Amino acid sequence: VSDTDIKELEDVFGLNGQVEHKLSFLKKNVSKDIKLVLIAHSIGCYITLEMMKRASELQVHSPCGAGLGRASTLVPTIERMAQSPQGKLMTPLLCKLRYILYMPVYLLSFLPEGVKASLVRFALRGMKTCDESSITTSINLFSVDCIANILYMASQEMMKVVERDSTTIKQNLKKLIFYYGTGDSWCPQNYYDDIKMDFPDGDIRLCEKGLRHAFVLDASKEMAAMITDWLQDDLTKL
């Protein structure tokens, strides 16, 4: 927060605050004449669209998000989150019952780091491969502050990510790549069907690799290689 000069922003860990946080970072650290390539995953796709809407002066060359659970708007959670299969399950917990999770997390925070890492590995044991950095990062979930911020923002997502911002998408359609998953419970395939119907000329793709929404856990290199291939021609023109 201190790096972006928005300490005065009241709701910095909320959805709107996170949009403003990213805009503030770019305005402070990136020259206006720099062309940008934005790559976003999940709720980051919503944030990316909001950034393009609020700061049209940004020279965004080719934003990416992921509807994957996938890439370049990778698995884009940009609409009807609470109505998705996972949203229906999680909304009551996130919006009404999230405080009950704080106490067990607080107690677990006293465990030795090695025990925490073992618990994370146990939780991810079903994966064929797992990036070791995922283990290190996931240990942060034993922090009450971290969990509180995550659940707070997630509760806002359920309430605020309702209507797809088709106006902003239409205005920036040639800059956008949408990548949807086939078995994504946060961003089901019918969302892909709907946006494909509304924007038949858009670069809107459906994953054929069976990647999960949280592809960062076991397929980050595969996703990075895919995005690089997509953007290779565009990047040579920058």
Side-chain angles (χ1 to χ4, degrees), residues 30-41:
V30 179
S31 174
K32 290 184 179 181
D33 61 346
I34 295 294
K35 294 181 179 179
L36 303 173
V37 174
L38 304 180
I39 300 175
H41 167 244

Side-chain angles (χ1 to χ4, degrees), residues 125-163:
R125 66 191 181 282
M127 296 184 182
K128 294 181 180 179
T129 60
C130 186
D131 192 324
E132 187 62 26
S133 62
S134 299
I135 305 295
T136 304
T137 304
S138 296
I139 292 176
N140 291 324
L141 298 176
F142 290 92
S143 163
V144 175
D145 287 341
C146 180
I147 285 293
N149 290 333
I150 289 171
L151 297 182
Y152 170 64
M153 182 170 162
S155 69
Q156 290 200 344
E157 294 169 23
M158 298 305 108
M159 294 184 288
K160 295 185 177 183
V161 182
V162 181
E163 297 289 336

